[in-house]
Amino acid sequence: MPFVNVPTAEEYNRAAKSAFFAGWNELFHLIADFVRFFEDEKPNTPKWRSERARYYSHATAEIEKVCLLASQASELALKAKICEVSPFLLLLGSDVKFKATAPDVDFRDLRTLDAVDLVVTVNSVCTGKLTPQFADRFNELRTWRNKIMHQGTAAVALDPKDIARSMAEQYCELWPQGKFVKEWATYLSTTRSSFFHDHKWSTPHMELAEMFDVFFQTMETGHIAGLTTIKPRNTRRYLCHHCQYVGSIDHSGLDPSELMTCYLETPESLRCLVCDEVFCVNRNDCIEEDCKGNVISAAGDYAGLCHTCGNEQPS
């Protein structure tokens, strides 16, 4: 009577990240839609903040869906950590009955640990311990989730900016070695809209570009540093010519400046947050009169292109 369909940590982690980025992407589309609609108005005025509050209230159902996904992501990620030790620890406290004459036991049919027991189990059996701050966020999300599931609403005004910060902290603790922006872009290639991507007129990069600046505007310095390794919030970002080309940004009607994904890793090299490639650069002033850039691609297919305006420099 062997067990079948025993889960692995990789499977739980894959499902956890799928849930996380489904919620994250929904959240930043929601935030970016308002910013884009009111882009001609001065932000953070009393009228602007009042209108945003009305918009968020109108979008309560979508915001609560993000909370459900964030909570699910945490639970699945914690089960992944336990599974790394042994998947059978997920059956602690369950009343599994065995019979010698019974067929194979399908693990998927068994009750696993309740969400309320996950944090203490991880801290008891896993090498890496969860911080009290994570436990507090996890319990807050679980409380909201239970209210939404059992009462139909969280019964509190949920601010998307606060949720984004909480999810950022959640990601940093659950996946400290993760490549956040790269994984976000990868997620965009798996959504239902990606079915229609022809990778010329529509690409995941185009969808990311709609939210990228809003991401940096919304998150605090510490969260940006945790998610991207960019430490000061106002660190200058640069064009990744590879992502601009692969993402067909020139076909999109978007200004290339909307997808500035590179940052200086050293004075002579850039790293891209999306493709994670490193590019050697020369520090020469761009010849374009209106460009203040001084970071020029030094090698490869894009040698001689300015990483600020994209224009080619004389050889």
Side-chain angles (χ1 to χ4, degrees):
M1 187 181 63
F3 281 89
V4 295
N5 295 316
V6 178
T8 65
E10 291 76 15
E11 290 169 339
Y12 270 121
N13 253 322
R14 186 163 55 247
K17 286 189 176 180
S18 179
F20 177 90
F21 281 106
W24 180 269
N25 198 56
E26 178 83 10
L27 183 66
F28 269 88
H29 267 303
L30 188 149
I31 295 171
D33 284 349
F34 179 84
V35 172
R36 194 162 49 246
F37 190 85
F38 288 94
E39 63 183 352
D40 295 329
E41 296 192 17
K42 190 173 182 180
N44 293 318
T45 61
K47 179 182 176 182
W48 189 89
R49 288 195 297 268
S50 174
E51 195 69 12
R52 186 179 62 181
R54 289 181 60 240
Y55 167 70
Y56 286 166
S57 178
H58 184 77
T60 294
E62 287 94 334
I63 294 170
E64 290 184 344
K65 181 173 74 173
V66 172
C67 286
L68 292 176
L69 288 165
S71 180
Q72 181 187 24
S74 282
E75 292 181 21
L76 291 168
L78 296 185
K79 288 183 177 181
K81 289 181 179 295
I82 296 167
C83 212
E84 287 178 355
V85 180
S86 170
F88 296 100
L89 290 170
L90 295 171
L91 303 179
L92 287 172
S94 62
D95 188 19
V96 182
K97 292 182 170 61
F98 303 104
K99 294 181 180 178
T101 59
D104 296 344
V105 178
D106 192 330
F107 200 102
R108 294 173 301 187
D109 294 334
L110 302 177
R111 179 178 176 177
T112 57
L113 284 167
D114 291 334
V116 68
D117 298 319
L118 290 173
V119 170
V120 68
T121 303
V122 168
N123 284 341
S124 297
V125 304
C126 299
T127 303
K129 308 302 180 186
L130 300 167
T131 65
Q133 292 78 14
F134 177 88
D136 290 343
R137 288 192 304 273
F138 177 80
N139 288 329
E140 183 177 44
L141 278 171
R142 190 172 58 82
T143 299
W144 288 344
R145 172 198 174 279
N146 289 341
K147 287 182 178 179
I148 295 166
M149 293 296 294
H150 301 300
Q151 301 177 25
T153 178
V156 295
L158 300 174
D159 187 328
K161 192 170 184 177
D162 291 338
I163 297 171
R165 291 168 178 169
S166 180
M167 290 183 72
E169 293 166 8
Q170 174 189 29
Y171 180 93
C172 290
E173 183 147 357
L174 291 172
W175 302 291
Q177 305 304 317
K179 300 287 186 181
F180 176 79
V181 179
K182 184 177 183 180
E183 290 181 337
W184 186 4
T186 299
Y187 170 78
L188 290 171
S189 69
T190 68
T191 62
R192 71 178 185 280
S193 61
S194 71
F195 180 84
F196 304 102
H197 289 165
D198 61 6
H199 297 279
K200 180 178 181 181
W201 303 103
S202 59
T203 67
H205 293 75
M206 294 180 191
E207 190 173 347
L208 182 63
E210 295 176 1
M211 300 174 280
F212 206 58
D213 280 343
V214 175
F215 164 67
F216 280 93
Q217 294 163 11
T218 300
M219 307 309 296
E220 300 291 346
T221 296
H223 297 117
I224 291 173
L227 296 174
T228 68
T229 72
I230 294 178
K231 293 180 181 174
R233 183 181 183 180
N234 60 352
T235 294
R236 181 170 293 181
R237 292 180 283 118
Y238 300 89
L239 296 174
C240 173
H241 297 299
H242 178 69
C243 285
Q244 297 281 326
Y245 175 76
V246 172
S248 296
I249 297 301
D250 56 332
H251 295 153
S252 67
L254 295 166
D255 190 295
S257 66
E258 294 187 59
L259 194 63
M260 295 283 205
T261 60
C262 282
Y263 65 98
L264 283 168
E265 190 170 55
T266 72
E268 289 78 33
S269 66
L270 290 173
R271 181 179 290 276
C272 177
L273 294 167
V274 175
C275 65
D276 201 36
E277 295 292 329
V278 176
F279 303 96
C280 295
V281 297
N282 294 320
R283 303 305 299 271
N284 302 321
D285 290 339
C286 178
I287 63 166
E288 293 296 321
E289 183 178 350
D290 296 331
C291 180
K292 305 297 184 183
N294 64 351
V295 179
I296 312 299
S297 188
D301 295 336
Y302 310 104
L305 297 183
C306 176
H307 281 281
T308 300
C309 69
N311 288 316
E312 188 171 3
Q313 310 297 297
S315 55

